[in-house]
Amino acid sequence: MSRWQVGVDVGGTFTDVVLVDPTSGTFRIAKVPSTPADQSEGVMGGLRQAAADLPEMTAFVHGTTVGTNAVLERKGAVCGLVTTAGFRDTLELGRRTRPNPYGMTGTFEPLISREFRIEVPERVDAAGRVLIPLDEVAFESAVRALIERGAEALVIHFMHSYINPRQELRAAEIARKIWPNSYVTVGHEVLREAREFERASTAAVNASIQPIMARYLGRLAGKLGDDGFEPEPLVMQGNAGTMTMRAAAEHAVQTVMSGPAAGVLAAARVGVEAGIGSIIACDMGGTSFDVTLIRDGSPSLSAEKDMAYAVPVRVPMIDVHTIGAGGGSIARISRAGLLQVGPESAGSRPGPICYGRGGTLPTVTDANLLLGRLDPASMPGIERAVPVAAVREAILEHVGRPLGMDAVQASTAIISVATNHLASAIRLVSIERGYDPRDFALFAFGGAGPLHATALAKELGVPRVLVPRFPGATSALGCILADLRHDFVQTINSPLAESDGAAFDAILAEQAARGRAIVERERVPVDGIVVVHEADLLFRGQSHVFRMPVISPGFDPALVMRDFAARYRARFNIELAEMRVILVNLRTCVVGTRPKISMELFAPAPSSGSPAGPHAVRSVHFSGRFYETPIWRRESLTVGSTLDGPVIVEQMDATTVVDPGARLQVDRLGNLIISV
Amino acid sequence: MPLDPVLLAVVHNGLRQVATEMDLVHEKTSFSPVISEGLDRSNGIYHRDTGEVIAQGEMGLPSFVGVMQFSTQSVMERRKDIGPGDIVLLNDPYLGGTHLMDVKMVMPFYYKGSRWCWLSNTGHWPDTGGMVPGGFTSTATEIHQEGLRIPPVKLFRAGVMDDEILQLILQNIRVPEERIGDIKAQVGALKVGEQRLTELLDRYGADVVDQCIVELKSRSRQQMGSHIESVPDGVYESVSYCDSDGVVPEKLAIRLTMTVRGSEIDFDFSRSSPPCRGPMNCPAALTRSSVYVAIKHIFPDVPINSGCFAPLHVETPSGTFLDAVYPRPCAGAASEVSQRVIEAVFLAMGQAMPDRMFAAPAGTSGNFSLGGWDPEQRRAYIMYMFSGGGYGGYWAADGLTNGCSSIGISKTQPIEILEQHYPILYEEYALREGSAGPGQHRGGFGTNYRVRLLRGEAKASFLMDHGVGGPPGILGGGPGGCNELVVHQSGSETRPLHVSKGEGYALREGDFIQVRTPGGGGYGDPRKRSDEAVAADLKRGYLSPQQAAEEYGGNRRPNLRASIGQAAQ
């Protein structure tokens, strides 16, 4: 019996589909243009292209940008907010900031507009005591007023509900009776953590994307069902876990960063199976460069991310650092006469000059073309062929002449500055957190990742680059690999030395039980359930917490304290023995592990007979001169092949560049391992 | 030989990153919430011979942009006996400083045996002793009342901390135990800088980096120069006012004559008010630095190094309150006077090129401190809160609501966190309706908050500004709402004599204070604001029907009458 599993990732430009049958060891891959108006059309198109027979499929996992885009473009559902008297404007005031350190301009639109925010008498203090009981009559009329004004989703957000949620719960009970649909978001249910603005923002993000996710996922599930798919489809979460579509519609905020999380997860797994546990995952596409640090096979998560200016989301998400740099980044000369690449991007419209979609400003892709690294004949984005001479002239005009360089020198300079910019993003996620990038391998994916990875590794002193079998389909692959996952947090805020470990064990056990119950309700086949407990700690007086794993049952405050001091010393080289340790939050992560799929499945067939040769030779520029460079097709590389740079490997959705002096080897899984 | 443009860009990023990493370590490990939440700190690299700024962290507090180089220069002048492993500590406002709470560390950096540059940083300590917990006095008449004044002393000698100096400091400040943590954080940041800079020099070579620094300085100068060339030549005059000095109830005038000539600008403040009795005197280094911050706000893309400020000439305003000399008190300079200086520059530039400018922002840090005893927790506390206000409308849009001070990038603390720590209750923390300066593009809104003391006794102090006149508008836009401050004690209301300043207000259980912060100035004639925009403001409760009628001429605009009528009900 076949056990086909489907992973689908919808990106800005392409929708990628990966089909895997672990029992027979077969897989299929498809790539179709995304359909932004209704992403489900692209998904179904991709499934058709992959010839997916839906009744035969046992699992469907989806990475989507529907929710993220709705927030970024402020196209979410119309939401209403009912909150504690005196705090109507929390979402609009934020934390007293401005968009940039310098410059007094810029604007901000709160996720919920002021006419949709209503106050009611109600107040709990910081110790959880009720100072003013909920005025239920006022609350009910506030909810009715919001329905009348046309709000589709409701947020209930009361002060200090993380410590005493009873008034919020009572309000939710009233609201759920009269609200015309199920879109009621309750602050402490989304995030049981102090900081009223961050909790309100997280709840508002949830509410504003909930109806949109529900509609989209409902539509998609319907189409899948019509075509004979029976099990409940799954959705990727930003924490690199997955959950059912029904749960995703309810906990919509968890789907933020769903796509990047899938890519990072795949990177981690491919790395582990290739025997390289510590990698820096680099996803480079047309407009952005996403970097994530993965240590010992586990990607780091962060609950400190802002989706946009003044839109914090405080649920754990994959810790992706994004900069505006990609193939479409525009090169120009600044007022100071410095060469700058990005952050402005030509995007996919008009795109790089060589795409022939009307672009006139030179981009990174154009520079790569001029240096011979890309072959216009085999690039997927080309709409109308543009003569190389036109690209050369644009690079000369905008970069070459102002700097007194010829076109090739200017192109080299553009690539160097871009590489340096990418390198600084990598330094930020590694060095800044106390890790040396030289202890990692670069994992290059996305359309443009493998093109720059070798140069990037050289710049950073990183010894190895790993290019997976299908760089462009990495996120779709990650969807198939994801486990079910649910996170819980509870604010504690008390000195650790004077605490009772047993009470903490009880809280952590309750979180674990809630997680187990959700996993069981989801009825997705799992191998087992793994529970991980963590604590956020700080020294009294500080405000930045330090997260670390803890053991429970058997939470021992003295042991945790010693462990914390040691980890703090290792990170910051600072000893603070005289300070009191405060336990800020307790966290639990519950993972339902799905059956593992081995990457061996994607390994190319062992070489049969004489190895095929390069399909072409092209003149490619590296460090100061042109080299006659063999061009290989990825499909013709067999396990164990070794090639010395310069060499270029082309495949449907990516081009891998191996510089002179570097050596490429194909490992047993079909990955390209480049020694720099 | 001209420098390789790629190398130049790489070294430029590398130097900035050293400073940024120093900022990050400083912020993440410090205990002072003013640093960890408020980001009231700055780290940078300074030239070995001139002390001029080579690079400063982009997320460092703007007000330290120029100041740090001046305090580094003071150390260079006064301490000729500095060697490897030494770290000099100082907070003297008269030596290129700000106020006593900003404590600086200056460390020589050696590369291959010779001094290559200085690494310096500043962190705002929550207390340095003095008559008011937290240091924001508004009534001191000499610096000795403001706190402990530290000349350039070696806190570290050849890598070893001088415990005698440390003890001398700790015994003279409040809540000393957490300051040890802040000192470690500040030193930790310098050490990270040392490590990263060594790596950078190893990689590219000290000579090459030196050449790059010279080149980057000249590029920044050129870039700033080209911006200034786009400003029409001319002499522009502006004036902005501080409400009072906190002691004598009279306005203080900052009178600026700004002369734009080609690619350079002269700033002359010599007609400003004479030195004042209260703590609103401003050290000349801070006056100069404030001009730099203002210009950087107007032309944000010029990278920070000494070249960026070379085209700006600020004469020392001798004989005015903008050149504080010993023993003049200056506790209000860093948070308030500096913002008035910035405002004067904004106003002058608003005349020179109104189509590319913004109206005045709220421009006060809204310092509110509360010191008392919590009988439930059985502990003494010092609470410090700052607040935001509206930004000015500008050529493209309305001003931002609840923006942070022009000299800062700090976030306010969450109300839930403040209530966890102190025996207080915020009954309201809201957008201040009606506070935006009217205009075609109106200002942003200030905030309105009410804090009640829940238990015990406490004393409240305020150091704010813009209570007498609101932040001005430009091109026909109106001013934003004035700062308002009311203290409610046992049922009676007090408005401070100095409007936005006052200290020592005794609060008992149940007493409360109400603060309303300024809105931003408006940009352009309010009658040109679209009907739809005014109607939306009415619907959101941003404006009262009366304001719509009076400030926006609503009764003479047929499309608005219905909206006004509706809002009035």
Side-chain angles (χ1 to χ4, degrees):
Chain A
M1 189 193 112
S2 66
R3 305 272 310 164
W4 284 99
Q5 306 204 17
V6 189
V8 178
D9 178 62
V10 180
T13 320
F14 292 111
T15 295
D16 292 296
V17 176
V18 173
L19 251 60
V20 173
D21 177 14
T23 46
S24 65
T26 43
F27 67 92
R28 277 178 239 151
I29 287 186
K31 191 179 209 65
V32 296
S34 292
T35 49
D38 178 0
Q39 292 189 352
S40 67
E41 283 173 27
V43 173
M44 298 313 287
L47 290 171
R48 278 192 297 277
Q49 197 192 71
D53 182 12
L54 284 170
E56 290 289 299
M57 304 287 140
T58 57
F60 175 95
V61 190
H62 187 26
T64 170
T65 50
V66 166
T68 312
N69 291 349
V71 171
L72 296 182
E73 295 162 17
R74 296 292 195 277
K75 289 180 179 161
V78 175
C79 302
L81 169 83
V82 184
T83 192
T84 309
F87 294 89
R88 176 186 184 186
D89 297 315
T90 299
L91 278 176
E92 186 157 357
L93 296 178
R95 295 275 302 275
R96 188 195 93 141
T97 50
R98 63 171 163 259
N100 298 297
Y102 294 95
M104 304 299 287
T105 58
T107 54
F108 170 66
E109 278 297 319
L111 281 179
I112 303 177
S113 169
R114 198 166 196 253
E115 63 270 34
F116 287 95
R117 306 193 302 251
I118 301 180
E119 308 183 336
V120 292
E122 165 306 315
R123 190 67 151 92
V124 168
D125 74 6
R129 292 174 291 223
V130 174
L131 301 181
I132 303 171
L134 173 66
D135 182 335
E136 297 189 3
V137 175
F139 179 79
E140 191 175 325
S141 67
V143 171
R144 290 193 189 281
L146 289 171
I147 294 172
E148 205 169 297
R149 284 172 212 177
E152 186 183 8
L154 175 69
V155 177
I156 302 170
H157 169 67
F158 293 165
M159 290 293 283
H160 297 295
S161 64
Y162 60 93
I163 187 106
N164 177 359
R166 281 191 294 275
Q167 310 230 76
E168 252 184 26
L169 286 170
R170 174 65 190 133
E173 198 182 335
I174 296 168
R176 284 187 170 126
K177 277 185 202 143
I178 48 178
W179 199 256
N181 54 44
S182 63
Y183 307 136
V184 176
T185 298
V186 184
H188 80 274
E189 289 180 352
V190 173
L191 183 69
R192 199 149 181 186
E193 221 174 295
R195 290 169 194 256
E196 69 281 359
F197 167 61
E198 286 77 0
R199 195 170 66 250
S201 172
T202 308
V205 167
N206 191 68
S208 68
I209 64 182
Q210 199 177 28
I212 287 168
M213 284 301 289
R215 274 194 285 277
Y216 166 66
L217 294 176
R219 212 159 47 227
L220 180 59
K223 288 182 184 175
L224 291 170
D226 290 348
D227 285 4
F229 181 74
E230 278 178 10
E232 188 168 357
L234 303 175
V235 175
M236 275 305 291
Q237 307 179 56
N239 64 15
T242 167
M243 58 182 167
T244 57
M245 276 195 183
R246 211 172 312 155
E250 195 175 323
H251 306 282
V253 68
Q254 303 284 355
T255 64
V256 169
M257 298 299 286
S258 153
V264 171
L265 177 67
R269 276 289 293 284
V270 171
V272 166
E273 291 205 27
I276 308 173
S278 291
I279 57 179
I280 297 170
C282 304
D283 180 1
M284 185 171 175
T287 54
S288 67
F289 180 64
D290 291 342
V291 194
T292 311
L293 198 78
I294 299 171
R295 291 177 59 228
D296 305 326
S298 54
S300 59
L301 298 183
S302 166
E304 305 272 307
K305 291 286 180 191
D306 287 2
M307 281 185 73
Y309 170 66
V311 186
V313 173
R314 289 290 176 266
V315 296
M317 287 191 281
I318 209 95
D319 195 0
V320 179
H321 178 66
T322 301
I323 59 169
S329 291
I330 293 169
R332 63 183 182 89
I333 306 298
S334 76
R335 273 174 182 267
L338 284 173
L339 172 60
Q340 288 189 333
V341 181
E344 299 84 355
S345 170
S348 57
R349 294 260 156 209
I353 301 170
C354 64
Y355 279 18
R357 301 175 189 175
T360 53
L361 298 174
T363 64
V364 170
T365 298
D366 295 312
N368 272 315
L369 183 85
L370 223 60
L371 296 176
R373 296 174 186 194
L374 287 173
D375 175 11
S378 63
M379 279 161 64
I382 303 283
E383 195 161 289
R384 184 173 54 81
V386 172
V388 173
V391 177
R392 180 178 293 117
E393 180 48 35
I395 287 182
L396 270 176
E397 182 194 338
H398 293 281
V399 178
R401 288 189 202 107
L403 293 179
M405 291 173 158
D406 67 27
V408 168
Q409 286 169 332
S411 299
T412 305
I414 291 170
I415 300 299
S416 303
V417 169
T419 304
N420 179 248
H421 190 39
L422 302 177
S424 63
I426 292 178
R427 289 194 189 100
L428 212 69
V429 301
S430 53
I431 295 173
E432 181 209 294
R433 295 169 199 182
Y435 303 111
D436 188 330
R438 290 170 293 195
D439 299 337
F440 293 76
L442 288 193
F443 183 98
F445 65 113
L451 195 57
H452 296 273
T454 306
L456 195 50
K458 268 183 160 167
E459 167 87 21
L460 291 160
V462 167
R464 272 187 303 183
V465 172
L466 195 167
V467 180
R469 181 72 187 83
F470 300 103
T474 308
S475 292
L477 174 65
C479 289
I480 293 179
L481 305 175
D483 292 322
L484 294 169
R485 176 174 176 142
H486 300 279
D487 290 295
F488 303 89
V489 59
Q490 165 80 61
T491 292
I492 304 295
N493 234 340
S494 67
L496 192 52
E498 298 145 27
S499 350
D500 171 16
F504 298 150
D505 279 334
I507 291 169
L508 291 169
E510 191 264 343
Q511 291 178 337
R514 271 162 64 201
R516 283 174 197 279
I518 297 177
V519 170
E520 277 156 24
R521 269 207 311 278
E522 286 176 311
R523 288 183 297 127
V524 173
V526 293
D527 285 348
I529 292 180
V530 177
V531 176
V532 179
H533 298 300
E534 288 180 312
D536 292 340
L537 299 141
L538 48 67
F539 294 101
R540 185 175 189 147
Q542 289 182 322
S543 47
H544 293 278
V545 299
F546 190 95
R547 183 167 306 167
M548 56 176 237
V550 291
I551 293 164
S552 175
F555 189 105
D556 176 358
L559 185 74
V560 170
M561 218 139 53
R562 279 199 301 277
D563 193 15
F564 172 50
R567 286 168 188 266
Y568 199 86
R569 196 181 327 112
R571 168 65 183 89
F572 295 111
N573 200 18
I574 294 176
E575 187 108 34
L576 294 162
E578 61 278 16
M579 302 299 180
R580 290 177 89 190
V581 177
I582 305 289
L583 174 61
V584 180
N585 297 308
L586 286 175
R587 297 176 179 273
T588 296
C589 156
V590 178
V591 175
T593 50
R594 294 171 61 219
K596 289 268 179 291
I597 291 172
S598 168
M599 291 301 118
E600 280 175 26
L601 211 136
F602 301 99
S607 61
S608 50
S610 59
H615 72 90
V617 172
R618 198 160 69 219
S619 198
V620 183
H621 192 272
F622 292 100
S623 48
R625 71 179 182 89
F626 279 93
Y627 290 77
E628 287 309 299
T629 304
I631 315 293
W632 288 71
R633 284 197 213 287
R634 181 74 183 254
E635 301 75 40
S636 65
L637 294 178
T638 51
V639 170
S641 306
T642 302
L643 301 170
D644 285 320
V647 65
I648 283 180
V649 180
E650 291 178 350
Q651 63 193 102
M652 176 182 75
D653 55 350
T655 298
T656 303
V657 172
V658 183
D659 289 26
R663 164 175 288 195
L664 174 156
Q665 276 184 300
V666 182
D667 76 359
R668 67 180 179 88
L669 304 174
N671 300 310
L672 308 182
I673 309 288
I674 302 165
S675 311
V676 177
Chain B
M1 195 191 89
L3 270 169
D4 170 8
V6 176
L7 184 67
L8 190 63
V10 169
V11 170
H12 172 58
N13 287 340
L15 290 166
R16 273 200 308 196
Q17 200 173 340
V18 170
T20 299
E21 283 181 44
M22 293 168 75
D23 276 349
L24 272 161
V25 168
H26 197 173
E27 165 199 339
K28 298 278 183 208
T29 58
S30 68
F31 284 72
S32 165
V34 195
I35 298 173
S36 56
E37 292 281 341
L39 309 182
D40 196 340
R41 51 94 185 91
S42 181
N43 289 264
I45 307 171
Y46 302 86
H47 194 272
R48 57 180 169 269
D49 300 324
T50 64
E52 286 181 335
V53 58
I54 291 171
Q56 214 157 302
E58 290 288 318
M59 291 302 284
L61 196 79
S63 78
F64 295 131
V65 133
V67 160
M68 293 279 291
Q69 86 175 34
F70 302 132
S71 40
T72 304
Q73 288 163 345
S74 294
V75 170
M76 291 167 66
E77 273 163 32
R78 271 148 215 272
R79 299 298 306 234
K80 303 293 184 193
D81 58 336
I82 288 174
D86 291 351
I87 297 178
V88 177
L89 187 79
L90 75 159
N91 76 342
D92 188 334
Y94 312 120
L95 297 180
T98 43
H99 52 192
L100 292 172
M101 290 82 89
D102 289 335
V103 181
K104 284 107 181 154
M105 288 190 188
V106 177
M107 180 180 86
F109 168 82
Y110 290 84
Y111 185 69
K112 294 191 172 159
S114 58
R115 188 183 299 162
W116 197 81
C117 71
W118 300 87
L119 295 173
S120 311
N121 58 16
T122 300
H124 182 124
W125 291 14
D127 193 83
T128 54
M131 63 197 283
V132 173
F136 282 106
T137 169
S138 60
T139 62
T141 51
E142 56 176 16
I143 191 152
H144 302 294
Q145 295 166 293
E146 295 187 322
L148 183 67
R149 178 173 159 226
I150 309 169
V153 294
K154 288 187 188 179
L155 181 64
F156 282 75
R157 288 170 191 273
V160 180
M161 171 131 64
D162 185 332
D163 194 54
E164 293 186 10
I165 288 180
L166 179 68
Q167 294 309 324
L168 178 69
I169 293 169
L170 294 182
Q171 298 222 356
N172 281 284
I173 65 180
R174 300 177 181 90
V175 207
E177 56 277 6
E178 290 182 0
R179 294 301 74 72
I180 300 171
D182 282 337
I183 289 172
K184 286 181 177 177
Q186 211 165 337
V187 172
L190 294 175
K191 295 290 179 192
V192 163
E194 191 171 56
Q195 202 180 328
R196 297 284 172 258
L197 195 52
T198 304
E199 288 165 12
L200 186 86
L201 296 177
D202 283 348
R203 175 101 194 249
Y204 299 104
D207 290 349
V208 171
V209 176
D210 262 331
Q211 284 176 43
C212 289
I213 289 169
V214 172
E215 182 65 21
L216 288 167
K217 177 178 170 180
S218 110
R219 302 257 175 145
S220 269
R221 180 179 186 136
Q222 183 191 332
Q223 188 173 4
M224 182 56 88
S226 83
H227 276 306
I228 295 172
E229 277 168 20
S230 75
V231 181
D233 278 4
V235 178
Y236 306 94
E237 293 190 346
S238 65
V239 57
S240 65
Y241 297 96
C242 299
D243 292 343
S244 77
D245 69 353
V247 174
V248 180
E250 283 171 10
K251 284 206 269 190
L252 297 169
I254 293 169
R255 294 193 184 86
L256 167 63
T257 305
M258 182 178 88
T259 307
V260 180
R261 220 175 6 218
S263 60
E264 319 236 320
I265 312 183
D266 290 338
F267 298 87
D268 174 4
F269 292 99
S270 61
R271 296 176 302 113
S272 301
S273 296
C276 56
R277 284 196 68 201
M280 298 291 274
N281 296 286
C282 184
L286 182 55
T287 303
R288 188 165 286 132
S289 185
S290 303
V291 170
Y292 295 174
V293 174
I295 295 295
K296 176 88 176 146
H297 274 309
I298 297 169
F299 305 120
D301 62 333
V302 186
I304 300 172
N305 61 46
S306 56
C308 168
F309 308 119
L312 312 175
H313 309 288
V314 186
E315 275 171 55
T316 303
S318 313
T320 74
F321 79 113
L322 300 179
D323 176 26
V325 292
Y326 175 82
R328 294 285 181 186
C330 39
S335 75
E336 304 302 315
V337 184
S338 60
Q339 297 201 61
R340 288 288 78 66
V341 172
I342 289 171
E343 184 178 293
V345 176
F346 287 167
L347 293 175
M349 279 297 214
Q351 297 168 34
M353 44 170 223
D355 52 329
R356 284 186 280 156
M357 279 300 294
F358 36 84
T364 170
S365 296
N367 307 287
F368 159 47
S369 10
L370 190 72
W373 171 259
D374 181 352
E376 192 176 285
Q377 302 283 328
R378 304 192 55 72
R379 70 177 190 112
Y381 61 89
I382 304 169
M383 173 184 131
Y384 173 64
M385 182 193 175
F386 33 65
S387 46
Y391 279 9
Y394 60 103
W395 70 91
D398 295 340
L400 201 66
T401 289
N402 194 31
C404 81
S405 63
S406 51
I407 50 149
I409 44 164
S410 42
K411 290 177 172 181
T412 44
Q413 294 198 65
I415 303 302
E416 287 180 342
I417 300 291
L418 289 170
E419 290 184 352
Q420 283 174 1
H421 289 301
Y422 311 108
I424 49 162
L425 187 76
Y426 281 79
E427 294 180 333
E428 158 173 62
Y429 181 71
L431 178 146
R432 181 185 176 194
E433 296 172 356
S435 61
Q440 181 182 3
H441 300 298
R442 59 162 169 72
F445 296 90
T447 60
N448 173 22
Y449 65 87
R450 181 165 66 244
V451 191
R452 194 180 291 273
L453 186 67
L454 290 177
R455 9 173 227 278
E457 293 182 350
K459 283 198 169 152
S461 300
F462 309 95
L463 180 55
M464 307 176 174
D465 207 22
H466 260 318
V468 174
I474 60 172
L475 283 181
C482 292
N483 194 82
E484 288 177 20
L485 173 56
V486 189
V487 183
H488 295 257
Q489 293 154 300
S490 313
S492 75
E493 276 185 29
T494 308
R495 287 173 190 264
L497 170 67
H498 288 273
V499 187
S500 57
K501 297 172 187 67
E503 70 192 35
Y505 293 95
L507 301 184
R508 291 193 299 191
E509 186 176 321
D511 288 351
F512 66 96
I513 62 138
Q514 183 92 39
V515 176
R516 298 184 183 91
T517 71
Y523 181 97
D525 186 343
R527 284 166 303 185
K528 288 192 191 150
R529 186 169 179 80
S530 74
D531 292 342
E532 298 75 45
V534 178
D537 285 353
L538 278 165
K539 193 164 82 171
R540 292 175 177 178
Y542 287 158
L543 281 182
S544 66
Q546 192 187 353
Q547 277 177 311
E550 288 171 7
E551 292 172 356
Y552 291 91
N555 288 340
R556 289 184 300 281
R557 295 164 67 170
N559 296 335
L560 271 183
R561 271 191 226 125
S563 304
I564 293 174
Q566 212 168 11
Q569 283 163 19

